[in-house]
Amino acid sequence: MRARAEEFEELRPLLFSIAYRLLGSVSEAEDAVQDTWLRYAASTTEPASTKAFLTAVVTRIAVDVLRSARRRREAYVGPWLPEPLLSDTYEDPERAAELADSVSMAALLLLERLSPLERAAFVLREVFGFGFAEVASALGRTEPACRQLVARARRHMAAGRPRFEADQREQQELAVRFFAAFSEGKIEHLLEFLAADVQLVGDAGGKAPQWGRGVVNGARNVAGLLVALAEPFTKIGGVVEPRPVNGQPGAIFRDSEGRVVNTWTLDIADGKIQAIRGVVNPDKLQHLGPVADAYAVVRDTFDARRNG
């Protein structure tokens, strides 16, 4: 059993990375990995390839979860966004570009458009580089069927693939300047960073304060909302902690006691911010640490704004 546990722990980062890309949820991915371990520990046979066996198990578990999750998301209140991921522990230098691209919020939202089997086939083949024989074994389908799944998925992904700046250092530098401008709370400074058709999307899930219907469009509308929030948030001791989220420039917002209020990720292209995606739903933030009462933070923020 000790040998199995050691093998499993070596492969845990890979299994989590697969499950997260299939589910868009840190908590559900962790549960899928744990269920995979339980099935492996209970198995009385020794697989020819531990990696192939565990990959197949976690993929099938995640696909089953995804099928029920898709039904739940149809009834979700407001926009749905993946749970924020601060770091992906799995590394493969030969597939670094694919791994980084596939974990972005924009890519995960594109994956949501695929059927569970298309999503699984695409992730295994295009992101992690598994051969079609391995994909077919994991999905319990024939190789020709898996080739068709991947081909359909490629077309869907290519049609909606977002554009990002290639230079990550430039992205990070722009993000740092943007968050500094946010803290200043001056609308003209913020407008310098925003694309004309920028979109601000917030996922509160009906469990935290939400602006409008969760989507704000246009540079001046977005900048106006940010200005309304910035100064009073700072006055109540709120802190903006710039850091990568889902491999993109982003930030964690914390209250005066260091508890997580929400996260932002920034889509940057052509030297401008094209989208800001904020996760406020407390259920999606618990893996990041203690979570603030967002309603109390908003109430205190606007009290500070009203009182000058």
mmCIF file of all heavy atoms in Angstrom, residues 143-193:
data_model
loop_
_atom_site.group_PDB
_atom_site.id
_atom_site.type_symbol
_atom_site.label_atom_id
_atom_site.label_comp_id
_atom_site.label_asym_id
_atom_site.label_seq_id
_atom_site.Cartn_x
_atom_site.Cartn_y
_atom_site.Cartn_z
ATOM 1 N N GLU A 143 -10.839 4.713 -30.949
ATOM 2 C CA GLU A 143 -9.938 5.790 -31.368
ATOM 3 C C GLU A 143 -10.586 6.686 -32.428
ATOM 4 O O GLU A 143 -10.480 7.910 -32.335
ATOM 5 C CB GLU A 143 -8.622 5.205 -31.881
ATOM 6 C CG GLU A 143 -7.722 4.679 -30.770
ATOM 7 C CD GLU A 143 -6.338 4.324 -31.277
ATOM 8 O OE1 GLU A 143 -5.776 5.114 -32.078
ATOM 9 O OE2 GLU A 143 -5.813 3.268 -30.889
ATOM 10 N N PRO A 144 -11.258 6.113 -33.463
ATOM 11 C CA PRO A 144 -11.915 6.999 -34.443
ATOM 12 C C PRO A 144 -12.936 7.936 -33.783
ATOM 13 O O PRO A 144 -13.042 9.109 -34.159
ATOM 14 C CB PRO A 144 -12.584 6.024 -35.405
ATOM 15 C CG PRO A 144 -11.734 4.785 -35.320
ATOM 16 C CD PRO A 144 -11.334 4.697 -33.887
ATOM 17 N N ALA A 145 -13.675 7.415 -32.817
ATOM 18 C CA ALA A 145 -14.667 8.253 -32.129
ATOM 19 C C ALA A 145 -13.978 9.388 -31.374
ATOM 20 O O ALA A 145 -14.453 10.532 -31.362
ATOM 21 C CB ALA A 145 -15.497 7.411 -31.170
ATOM 22 N N CYS A 146 -12.849 9.096 -30.762
ATOM 23 C CA CYS A 146 -12.115 10.127 -30.023
ATOM 24 C C CYS A 146 -11.503 11.152 -30.961
ATOM 25 O O CYS A 146 -11.434 12.345 -30.627
ATOM 26 C CB CYS A 146 -11.035 9.479 -29.152
ATOM 27 S SG CYS A 146 -11.724 8.578 -27.739
ATOM 28 N N ARG A 147 -11.061 10.711 -32.130
ATOM 29 C CA ARG A 147 -10.552 11.676 -33.114
ATOM 30 C C ARG A 147 -11.649 12.652 -33.529
ATOM 31 O O ARG A 147 -11.406 13.848 -33.713
ATOM 32 C CB ARG A 147 -10.009 10.936 -34.336
ATOM 33 C CG ARG A 147 -8.718 10.160 -34.056
ATOM 34 C CD ARG A 147 -8.214 9.447 -35.302
ATOM 35 N NE ARG A 147 -7.061 8.618 -34.996
ATOM 36 C CZ ARG A 147 -5.807 9.055 -34.930
ATOM 37 N NH1 ARG A 147 -5.548 10.340 -35.183
ATOM 38 N NH2 ARG A 147 -4.823 8.232 -34.646
ATOM 39 N N GLN A 148 -12.868 12.138 -33.691
ATOM 40 C CA GLN A 148 -13.983 13.006 -34.043
ATOM 41 C C GLN A 148 -14.307 13.973 -32.907
ATOM 42 O O GLN A 148 -14.588 15.156 -33.144
ATOM 43 C CB GLN A 148 -15.217 12.164 -34.382
ATOM 44 C CG GLN A 148 -15.089 11.389 -35.685
ATOM 45 C CD GLN A 148 -16.341 10.592 -35.999
ATOM 46 O OE1 GLN A 148 -17.253 10.491 -35.181
ATOM 47 N NE2 GLN A 148 -16.386 10.020 -37.197
ATOM 48 N N LEU A 149 -14.263 13.485 -31.662
ATOM 49 C CA LEU A 149 -14.510 14.353 -30.507
ATOM 50 C C LEU A 149 -13.498 15.498 -30.460
ATOM 51 O O LEU A 149 -13.861 16.656 -30.245
ATOM 52 C CB LEU A 149 -14.433 13.541 -29.202
ATOM 53 C CG LEU A 149 -15.569 12.563 -28.915
ATOM 54 C CD1 LEU A 149 -15.216 11.680 -27.724
ATOM 55 C CD2 LEU A 149 -16.867 13.320 -28.635
ATOM 56 N N VAL A 150 -12.236 15.160 -30.660
ATOM 57 C CA VAL A 150 -11.180 16.180 -30.611
ATOM 58 C C VAL A 150 -11.333 17.165 -31.763
ATOM 59 O O VAL A 150 -11.169 18.384 -31.587
ATOM 60 C CB VAL A 150 -9.788 15.531 -30.622
ATOM 61 C CG1 VAL A 150 -8.696 16.581 -30.786
ATOM 62 C CG2 VAL A 150 -9.556 14.734 -29.339
ATOM 63 N N ALA A 151 -11.656 16.665 -32.942
ATOM 64 C CA ALA A 151 -11.814 17.545 -34.109
ATOM 65 C C ALA A 151 -12.945 18.545 -33.887
ATOM 66 O O ALA A 151 -12.799 19.744 -34.191
ATOM 67 C CB ALA A 151 -12.074 16.702 -35.355
ATOM 68 N N ARG A 152 -14.069 18.073 -33.358
ATOM 69 C CA ARG A 152 -15.185 18.989 -33.080
ATOM 70 C C ARG A 152 -14.791 20.009 -32.023
ATOM 71 O O ARG A 152 -15.091 21.204 -32.127
ATOM 72 C CB ARG A 152 -16.418 18.210 -32.622
ATOM 73 C CG ARG A 152 -17.104 17.419 -33.725
ATOM 74 C CD ARG A 152 -18.535 17.093 -33.353
ATOM 75 N NE ARG A 152 -18.623 16.268 -32.154
ATOM 76 C CZ ARG A 152 -18.635 14.928 -32.147
ATOM 77 N NH1 ARG A 152 -18.552 14.265 -33.313
ATOM 78 N NH2 ARG A 152 -18.728 14.248 -31.029
ATOM 79 N N ALA A 153 -14.099 19.541 -30.990
ATOM 80 C CA ALA A 153 -13.680 20.437 -29.914
ATOM 81 C C ALA A 153 -12.709 21.496 -30.436
ATOM 82 O O ALA A 153 -12.803 22.672 -30.066
ATOM 83 C CB ALA A 153 -13.040 19.631 -28.781
ATOM 84 N N ARG A 154 -11.789 21.092 -31.280
ATOM 85 C CA ARG A 154 -10.832 22.056 -31.850
ATOM 86 C C ARG A 154 -11.561 23.171 -32.591
ATOM 87 O O ARG A 154 -11.202 24.347 -32.486
ATOM 88 C CB ARG A 154 -9.888 21.341 -32.815
ATOM 89 C CG ARG A 154 -8.763 20.544 -32.174
ATOM 90 C CD ARG A 154 -8.017 19.807 -33.256
ATOM 91 N NE ARG A 154 -6.940 18.978 -32.753
ATOM 92 C CZ ARG A 154 -6.431 17.944 -33.413
ATOM 93 N NH1 ARG A 154 -6.914 17.617 -34.623
ATOM 94 N NH2 ARG A 154 -5.451 17.242 -32.888
ATOM 95 N N ARG A 155 -12.566 22.795 -33.375
ATOM 96 C CA ARG A 155 -13.296 23.805 -34.150
ATOM 97 C C ARG A 155 -13.986 24.800 -33.218
ATOM 98 O O ARG A 155 -13.946 26.011 -33.443
ATOM 99 C CB ARG A 155 -14.323 23.129 -35.073
ATOM 100 C CG ARG A 155 -13.703 22.383 -36.252
ATOM 101 C CD ARG A 155 -14.745 22.071 -37.307
ATOM 102 N NE ARG A 155 -15.756 21.135 -36.820
ATOM 103 C CZ ARG A 155 -15.664 19.811 -36.899
ATOM 104 N NH1 ARG A 155 -14.588 19.256 -37.443
ATOM 105 N NH2 ARG A 155 -16.628 19.042 -36.457
ATOM 106 N N HIS A 156 -14.638 24.289 -32.179
ATOM 107 C CA HIS A 156 -15.321 25.165 -31.235
ATOM 108 C C HIS A 156 -14.325 26.084 -30.524
ATOM 109 O O HIS A 156 -14.573 27.287 -30.359
ATOM 110 C CB HIS A 156 -16.088 24.342 -30.198
ATOM 111 C CG HIS A 156 -17.322 23.689 -30.724
ATOM 112 N ND1 HIS A 156 -18.356 24.399 -31.302
ATOM 113 C CD2 HIS A 156 -17.705 22.386 -30.759
ATOM 114 C CE1 HIS A 156 -19.312 23.568 -31.676
ATOM 115 N NE2 HIS A 156 -18.941 22.339 -31.354
ATOM 116 N N MET A 157 -13.210 25.521 -30.105
ATOM 117 C CA MET A 157 -12.219 26.305 -29.363
ATOM 118 C C MET A 157 -11.572 27.356 -30.262
ATOM 119 O O MET A 157 -11.356 28.488 -29.854
ATOM 120 C CB MET A 157 -11.159 25.388 -28.764
ATOM 121 C CG MET A 157 -11.680 24.413 -27.708
ATOM 122 S SD MET A 157 -12.277 25.241 -26.217
ATOM 123 C CE MET A 157 -10.724 25.760 -25.470
ATOM 124 N N ALA A 158 -11.264 26.974 -31.503
ATOM 125 C CA ALA A 158 -10.624 27.912 -32.425
ATOM 126 C C ALA A 158 -11.543 29.078 -32.760
ATOM 127 O O ALA A 158 -11.099 30.222 -32.929
ATOM 128 C CB ALA A 158 -10.207 27.186 -33.697
ATOM 129 N N ALA A 159 -12.846 28.809 -32.844
ATOM 130 C CA ALA A 159 -13.796 29.853 -33.222
ATOM 131 C C ALA A 159 -13.905 30.946 -32.169
ATOM 132 O O ALA A 159 -14.157 32.110 -32.490
ATOM 133 C CB ALA A 159 -15.171 29.233 -33.471
ATOM 134 N N GLY A 160 -13.715 30.578 -30.909
ATOM 135 C CA GLY A 160 -13.892 31.574 -29.854
ATOM 136 C C GLY A 160 -12.640 31.905 -29.088
ATOM 137 O O GLY A 160 -12.704 32.593 -28.069
ATOM 138 N N ARG A 161 -11.489 31.416 -29.552
ATOM 139 C CA ARG A 161 -10.256 31.587 -28.774
ATOM 140 C C ARG A 161 -9.908 33.065 -28.625
ATOM 141 O O ARG A 161 -9.841 33.798 -29.595
ATOM 142 C CB ARG A 161 -9.088 30.861 -29.463
ATOM 143 C CG ARG A 161 -7.808 30.858 -28.617
ATOM 144 C CD ARG A 161 -6.797 29.904 -29.183
ATOM 145 N NE ARG A 161 -7.264 28.530 -29.132
ATOM 146 C CZ ARG A 161 -7.208 27.773 -28.036
ATOM 147 N NH1 ARG A 161 -6.746 28.273 -26.921
ATOM 148 N NH2 ARG A 161 -7.638 26.535 -28.070
ATOM 149 N N PRO A 162 -9.684 33.496 -27.379
ATOM 150 C CA PRO A 162 -9.362 34.907 -27.141
ATOM 151 C C PRO A 162 -7.930 35.227 -27.526
ATOM 152 O O PRO A 162 -7.080 34.341 -27.633
ATOM 153 C CB PRO A 162 -9.551 35.048 -25.620
ATOM 154 C CG PRO A 162 -9.225 33.677 -25.097
ATOM 155 C CD PRO A 162 -9.723 32.715 -26.146
ATOM 156 N N ARG A 163 -7.657 36.512 -27.725
ATOM 157 C CA ARG A 163 -6.301 36.965 -28.000
ATOM 158 C C ARG A 163 -5.704 37.530 -26.720
ATOM 159 O O ARG A 163 -6.325 38.309 -26.013
ATOM 160 C CB ARG A 163 -6.322 38.076 -29.061
ATOM 161 C CG ARG A 163 -6.841 37.633 -30.412
ATOM 162 C CD ARG A 163 -6.947 38.818 -31.356
ATOM 163 N NE ARG A 163 -7.891 39.798 -30.849
ATOM 164 C CZ ARG A 163 -7.560 41.005 -30.405
ATOM 165 N NH1 ARG A 163 -6.286 41.369 -30.363
ATOM 166 N NH2 ARG A 163 -8.479 41.841 -29.964
ATOM 167 N N PHE A 164 -4.483 37.106 -26.418
ATOM 168 C CA PHE A 164 -3.773 37.653 -25.272
ATOM 169 C C PHE A 164 -2.428 38.196 -25.737
ATOM 170 O O PHE A 164 -1.902 37.777 -26.764
ATOM 171 C CB PHE A 164 -3.524 36.584 -24.199
ATOM 172 C CG PHE A 164 -4.776 36.065 -23.565
ATOM 173 C CD1 PHE A 164 -5.038 34.709 -23.540
ATOM 174 C CD2 PHE A 164 -5.683 36.927 -22.982
ATOM 175 C CE1 PHE A 164 -6.190 34.218 -22.943
ATOM 176 C CE2 PHE A 164 -6.849 36.451 -22.385
ATOM 177 C CZ PHE A 164 -7.096 35.094 -22.360
ATOM 178 N N GLU A 165 -1.888 39.117 -24.967
ATOM 179 C CA GLU A 165 -0.532 39.571 -25.225
ATOM 180 C C GLU A 165 0.428 38.407 -25.060
ATOM 181 O O GLU A 165 0.296 37.609 -24.128
ATOM 182 C CB GLU A 165 -0.148 40.690 -24.242
ATOM 183 C CG GLU A 165 -0.996 41.944 -24.358
ATOM 184 C CD GLU A 165 -0.668 42.754 -25.598
ATOM 185 O OE1 GLU A 165 0.193 42.338 -26.382
ATOM 186 O OE2 GLU A 165 -1.298 43.808 -25.770
ATOM 187 N N ALA A 166 1.394 38.284 -25.973
ATOM 188 C CA ALA A 166 2.340 37.174 -25.895
ATOM 189 C C ALA A 166 3.351 37.367 -24.775
ATOM 190 O O ALA A 166 3.808 36.405 -24.172
ATOM 191 C CB ALA A 166 3.074 37.023 -27.231
ATOM 192 N N ASP A 167 3.699 38.614 -24.489
ATOM 193 C CA ASP A 167 4.723 38.902 -23.492
ATOM 194 C C ASP A 167 4.093 38.998 -22.110
ATOM 195 O O ASP A 167 3.407 39.969 -21.783
ATOM 196 C CB ASP A 167 5.423 40.220 -23.847
ATOM 197 C CG ASP A 167 6.676 40.436 -23.008
ATOM 198 O OD1 ASP A 167 6.665 40.089 -21.812
ATOM 199 O OD2 ASP A 167 7.673 40.949 -23.550
ATOM 200 N N GLN A 168 4.326 37.977 -21.283
ATOM 201 C CA GLN A 168 3.716 37.960 -19.954
ATOM 202 C C GLN A 168 4.248 39.079 -19.077
ATOM 203 O O GLN A 168 3.515 39.611 -18.231
ATOM 204 C CB GLN A 168 3.947 36.600 -19.293
ATOM 205 C CG GLN A 168 3.187 35.465 -19.946
ATOM 206 C CD GLN A 168 3.269 34.187 -19.140
ATOM 207 O OE1 GLN A 168 4.026 34.070 -18.184
ATOM 208 N NE2 GLN A 168 2.482 33.206 -19.530
ATOM 209 N N ARG A 169 5.503 39.443 -19.271
ATOM 210 C CA ARG A 169 6.055 40.524 -18.454
ATOM 211 C C ARG A 169 5.321 41.830 -18.734
ATOM 212 O O ARG A 169 5.001 42.596 -17.807
ATOM 213 C CB ARG A 169 7.545 40.696 -18.729
ATOM 214 C CG ARG A 169 8.207 41.705 -17.808
ATOM 215 C CD ARG A 169 9.690 41.802 -18.071
ATOM 216 N NE ARG A 169 9.966 42.353 -19.393
ATOM 217 C CZ ARG A 169 11.192 42.571 -19.869
ATOM 218 N NH1 ARG A 169 12.245 42.245 -19.136
ATOM 219 N NH2 ARG A 169 11.374 43.087 -21.069
ATOM 220 N N GLU A 170 5.016 42.091 -20.001
ATOM 221 C CA GLU A 170 4.274 43.306 -20.345
ATOM 222 C C GLU A 170 2.869 43.268 -19.749
ATOM 223 O O GLU A 170 2.354 44.290 -19.292
ATOM 224 C CB GLU A 170 4.205 43.472 -21.861
ATOM 225 C CG GLU A 170 5.539 43.819 -22.508
ATOM 226 C CD GLU A 170 5.419 44.017 -24.002
ATOM 227 O OE1 GLU A 170 4.279 43.988 -24.519
ATOM 228 O OE2 GLU A 170 6.463 44.203 -24.664
ATOM 229 N N GLN A 171 2.246 42.092 -19.767
ATOM 230 C CA GLN A 171 0.929 41.947 -19.143
ATOM 231 C C GLN A 171 0.991 42.308 -17.673
ATOM 232 O O GLN A 171 0.151 43.064 -17.160
ATOM 233 C CB GLN A 171 0.437 40.506 -19.277
ATOM 234 C CG GLN A 171 -0.019 40.092 -20.650
ATOM 235 C CD GLN A 171 -0.682 38.740 -20.608
ATOM 236 O OE1 GLN A 171 -1.525 38.464 -19.756
ATOM 237 N NE2 GLN A 171 -0.298 37.859 -21.501
ATOM 238 N N GLN A 172 1.969 41.741 -16.972
ATOM 239 C CA GLN A 172 2.071 41.969 -15.535
ATOM 240 C C GLN A 172 2.357 43.440 -15.232
ATOM 241 O O GLN A 172 1.801 44.004 -14.281
ATOM 242 C CB GLN A 172 3.167 41.077 -14.935
ATOM 243 C CG GLN A 172 2.873 39.586 -14.993
ATOM 244 C CD GLN A 172 1.649 39.191 -14.175
ATOM 245 O OE1 GLN A 172 1.207 39.904 -13.281
ATOM 246 N NE2 GLN A 172 1.088 38.024 -14.487
ATOM 247 N N GLU A 173 3.214 44.060 -16.035
ATOM 248 C CA GLU A 173 3.534 45.468 -15.810
ATOM 249 C C GLU A 173 2.297 46.340 -16.016
ATOM 250 O O GLU A 173 2.045 47.281 -15.255
ATOM 251 C CB GLU A 173 4.665 45.906 -16.747
ATOM 252 C CG GLU A 173 6.019 45.304 -16.382
ATOM 253 C CD GLU A 173 7.099 45.655 -17.393
ATOM 254 O OE1 GLU A 173 6.764 46.242 -18.450
ATOM 255 O OE2 GLU A 173 8.275 45.336 -17.136
ATOM 256 N N LEU A 174 1.519 46.046 -17.057
ATOM 257 C CA LEU A 174 0.289 46.806 -17.288
ATOM 258 C C LEU A 174 -0.680 46.606 -16.129
ATOM 259 O O LEU A 174 -1.327 47.564 -15.674
ATOM 260 C CB LEU A 174 -0.354 46.378 -18.610
ATOM 261 C CG LEU A 174 -1.581 47.182 -19.058
ATOM 262 C CD1 LEU A 174 -1.651 47.246 -20.574
ATOM 263 C CD2 LEU A 174 -2.885 46.583 -18.520
ATOM 264 N N ALA A 175 -0.780 45.363 -15.633
ATOM 265 C CA ALA A 175 -1.693 45.070 -14.523
ATOM 266 C C ALA A 175 -1.294 45.835 -13.263
ATOM 267 O O ALA A 175 -2.159 46.378 -12.556
ATOM 268 C CB ALA A 175 -1.709 43.569 -14.243
ATOM 269 N N VAL A 176 -0.007 45.895 -12.976
ATOM 270 C CA VAL A 176 0.463 46.628 -11.797
ATOM 271 C C VAL A 176 0.088 48.099 -11.913
ATOM 272 O O VAL A 176 -0.403 48.721 -10.951
ATOM 273 C CB VAL A 176 1.988 46.457 -11.628
ATOM 274 C CG1 VAL A 176 2.525 47.441 -10.584
ATOM 275 C CG2 VAL A 176 2.326 45.028 -11.220
ATOM 276 N N ARG A 177 0.279 48.682 -13.093
ATOM 277 C CA ARG A 177 -0.071 50.087 -13.298
ATOM 278 C C ARG A 177 -1.581 50.298 -13.185
ATOM 279 O O ARG A 177 -2.049 51.298 -12.640
ATOM 280 C CB ARG A 177 0.438 50.581 -14.657
ATOM 281 C CG ARG A 177 1.964 50.555 -14.798
ATOM 282 C CD ARG A 177 2.425 51.438 -15.962
ATOM 283 N NE ARG A 177 1.759 51.119 -17.203
ATOM 284 C CZ ARG A 177 2.161 50.182 -18.072
ATOM 285 N NH1 ARG A 177 3.232 49.449 -17.805
ATOM 286 N NH2 ARG A 177 1.507 49.976 -19.199
ATOM 287 N N PHE A 178 -2.345 49.323 -13.703
ATOM 288 C CA PHE A 178 -3.802 49.433 -13.638
ATOM 289 C C PHE A 178 -4.290 49.408 -12.192
ATOM 290 O O PHE A 178 -5.138 50.227 -11.797
ATOM 291 C CB PHE A 178 -4.447 48.296 -14.432
ATOM 292 C CG PHE A 178 -5.920 48.138 -14.178
ATOM 293 C CD1 PHE A 178 -6.832 49.054 -14.690
ATOM 294 C CD2 PHE A 178 -6.397 47.088 -13.398
ATOM 295 C CE1 PHE A 178 -8.191 48.922 -14.441
ATOM 296 C CE2 PHE A 178 -7.754 46.945 -13.152
ATOM 297 C CZ PHE A 178 -8.655 47.864 -13.675
ATOM 298 N N PHE A 179 -3.776 48.488 -11.399
ATOM 299 C CA PHE A 179 -4.237 48.405 -10.013
ATOM 300 C C PHE A 179 -3.787 49.625 -9.203
ATOM 301 O O PHE A 179 -4.484 50.042 -8.270
ATOM 302 C CB PHE A 179 -3.766 47.105 -9.369
ATOM 303 C CG PHE A 179 -4.531 45.901 -9.838
ATOM 304 C CD1 PHE A 179 -3.899 44.865 -10.514
ATOM 305 C CD2 PHE A 179 -5.897 45.804 -9.635
ATOM 306 C CE1 PHE A 179 -4.604 43.765 -10.967
ATOM 307 C CE2 PHE A 179 -6.621 44.704 -10.078
ATOM 308 C CZ PHE A 179 -5.971 43.681 -10.751
ATOM 309 N N ALA A 180 -2.648 50.208 -9.565
ATOM 310 C CA ALA A 180 -2.236 51.458 -8.925
ATOM 311 C C ALA A 180 -3.217 52.569 -9.279
ATOM 312 O O ALA A 180 -3.610 53.379 -8.419
ATOM 313 C CB ALA A 180 -0.824 51.830 -9.358
ATOM 314 N N ALA A 181 -3.641 52.617 -10.552
ATOM 315 C CA ALA A 181 -4.623 53.617 -10.981
ATOM 316 C C ALA A 181 -5.964 53.375 -10.290
ATOM 317 O O ALA A 181 -6.675 54.326 -9.927
ATOM 318 C CB ALA A 181 -4.785 53.571 -12.499
ATOM 319 N N PHE A 182 -6.323 52.104 -10.099
ATOM 320 C CA PHE A 182 -7.566 51.787 -9.394
ATOM 321 C C PHE A 182 -7.524 52.340 -7.974
ATOM 322 O O PHE A 182 -8.497 52.925 -7.487
ATOM 323 C CB PHE A 182 -7.777 50.271 -9.374
ATOM 324 C CG PHE A 182 -8.907 49.827 -8.482
ATOM 325 C CD1 PHE A 182 -10.219 49.919 -8.907
ATOM 326 C CD2 PHE A 182 -8.655 49.335 -7.210
ATOM 327 C CE1 PHE A 182 -11.269 49.533 -8.069
ATOM 328 C CE2 PHE A 182 -9.690 48.933 -6.374
ATOM 329 C CZ PHE A 182 -11.009 49.045 -6.809
ATOM 330 N N SER A 183 -6.401 52.163 -7.298
ATOM 331 C CA SER A 183 -6.273 52.643 -5.920
ATOM 332 C C SER A 183 -6.372 54.163 -5.857
ATOM 333 O O SER A 183 -6.878 54.721 -4.877
ATOM 334 C CB SER A 183 -4.946 52.175 -5.322
ATOM 335 O OG SER A 183 -4.908 50.753 -5.255
ATOM 336 N N GLU A 184 -5.903 54.860 -6.917
ATOM 337 C CA GLU A 184 -6.017 56.316 -6.965
ATOM 338 C C GLU A 184 -7.464 56.755 -7.159
ATOM 339 O O GLU A 184 -7.870 57.822 -6.704
ATOM 340 C CB GLU A 184 -5.172 56.875 -8.108
ATOM 341 C CG GLU A 184 -3.672 56.733 -7.903
ATOM 342 C CD GLU A 184 -2.893 57.193 -9.126
ATOM 343 O OE1 GLU A 184 -3.545 57.648 -10.101
ATOM 344 O OE2 GLU A 184 -1.661 57.102 -9.122
ATOM 345 N N GLY A 185 -8.233 55.929 -7.872
ATOM 346 C CA GLY A 185 -9.643 56.230 -8.068
ATOM 347 C C GLY A 185 -9.938 57.381 -9.000
ATOM 348 O O GLY A 185 -10.949 58.073 -8.857
ATOM 349 N N LYS A 186 -9.070 57.591 -10.010
ATOM 350 C CA LYS A 186 -9.282 58.674 -10.961
ATOM 351 C C LYS A 186 -9.712 58.099 -12.310
ATOM 352 O O LYS A 186 -8.990 57.303 -12.918
ATOM 353 C CB LYS A 186 -8.010 59.507 -11.122
ATOM 354 C CG LYS A 186 -7.609 60.215 -9.829
ATOM 355 C CD LYS A 186 -6.354 61.046 -10.003
ATOM 356 C CE LYS A 186 -5.993 61.763 -8.705
ATOM 357 N NZ LYS A 186 -4.752 62.561 -8.833
ATOM 358 N N ILE A 187 -10.880 58.513 -12.745
ATOM 359 C CA ILE A 187 -11.495 57.883 -13.916
ATOM 360 C C ILE A 187 -10.648 58.044 -15.171
ATOM 361 O O ILE A 187 -10.538 57.098 -15.971
ATOM 362 C CB ILE A 187 -12.925 58.427 -14.140
ATOM 363 C CG1 ILE A 187 -13.669 57.535 -15.151
ATOM 364 C CG2 ILE A 187 -12.900 59.880 -14.576
ATOM 365 C CD1 ILE A 187 -15.164 57.797 -15.194
ATOM 366 N N GLU A 188 -10.029 59.197 -15.375
ATOM 367 C CA GLU A 188 -9.251 59.404 -16.594
ATOM 368 C C GLU A 188 -8.029 58.498 -16.637
ATOM 369 O O GLU A 188 -7.626 58.029 -17.706
ATOM 370 C CB GLU A 188 -8.836 60.873 -16.716
ATOM 371 C CG GLU A 188 -10.004 61.830 -16.865
ATOM 372 C CD GLU A 188 -10.917 61.464 -18.035
ATOM 373 O OE1 GLU A 188 -10.401 61.011 -19.077
ATOM 374 O OE2 GLU A 188 -12.141 61.648 -17.907
ATOM 375 N N HIS A 189 -7.434 58.236 -15.481
ATOM 376 C CA HIS A 189 -6.298 57.320 -15.433
ATOM 377 C C HIS A 189 -6.740 55.895 -15.760
ATOM 378 O O HIS A 189 -6.057 55.173 -16.484
ATOM 379 C CB HIS A 189 -5.639 57.363 -14.051
ATOM 380 C CG HIS A 189 -4.871 58.617 -13.801
ATOM 381 N ND1 HIS A 189 -4.216 58.873 -12.614
ATOM 382 C CD2 HIS A 189 -4.643 59.706 -14.579
ATOM 383 C CE1 HIS A 189 -3.621 60.046 -12.677
ATOM 384 N NE2 HIS A 189 -3.876 60.578 -13.861
ATOM 385 N N LEU A 190 -7.894 55.498 -15.233
ATOM 386 C CA LEU A 190 -8.387 54.147 -15.493
ATOM 387 C C LEU A 190 -8.729 53.952 -16.968
ATOM 388 O O LEU A 190 -8.478 52.887 -17.536
ATOM 389 C CB LEU A 190 -9.620 53.865 -14.627
ATOM 390 C CG LEU A 190 -9.344 53.620 -13.149
ATOM 391 C CD1 LEU A 190 -10.647 53.627 -12.359
ATOM 392 C CD2 LEU A 190 -8.622 52.295 -12.946
ATOM 393 N N LEU A 191 -9.282 54.975 -17.588
ATOM 394 C CA LEU A 191 -9.682 54.863 -18.993
ATOM 395 C C LEU A 191 -8.493 54.578 -19.903
ATOM 396 O O LEU A 191 -8.659 53.982 -20.974
ATOM 397 C CB LEU A 191 -10.391 56.137 -19.435
ATOM 398 C CG LEU A 191 -11.820 56.329 -18.909
ATOM 399 C CD1 LEU A 191 -12.320 57.725 -19.213
ATOM 400 C CD2 LEU A 191 -12.753 55.278 -19.492
ATOM 401 N N GLU A 192 -7.306 54.990 -19.487
ATOM 402 C CA GLU A 192 -6.118 54.744 -20.297
ATOM 403 C C GLU A 192 -5.837 53.257 -20.467
ATOM 404 O O GLU A 192 -5.201 52.848 -21.447
ATOM 405 C CB GLU A 192 -4.905 55.420 -19.655
ATOM 406 C CG GLU A 192 -4.984 56.935 -19.617
ATOM 407 C CD GLU A 192 -3.807 57.544 -18.866
ATOM 408 O OE1 GLU A 192 -2.874 56.770 -18.508
ATOM 409 O OE2 GLU A 192 -3.810 58.760 -18.628
ATOM 410 N N PHE A 193 -6.309 52.434 -19.538
ATOM 411 C CA PHE A 193 -5.998 51.010 -19.548
ATOM 412 C C PHE A 193 -7.101 50.159 -20.183
ATOM 413 O O PHE A 193 -6.867 48.984 -20.483
ATOM 414 C CB PHE A 193 -5.774 50.514 -18.111
ATOM 415 C CG PHE A 193 -4.593 51.132 -17.433
ATOM 416 C CD1 PHE A 193 -4.740 52.273 -16.664
ATOM 417 C CD2 PHE A 193 -3.326 50.576 -17.565
ATOM 418 C CE1 PHE A 193 -3.644 52.853 -16.035
ATOM 419 C CE2 PHE A 193 -2.235 51.146 -16.946
ATOM 420 C CZ PHE A 193 -2.392 52.294 -16.179
#
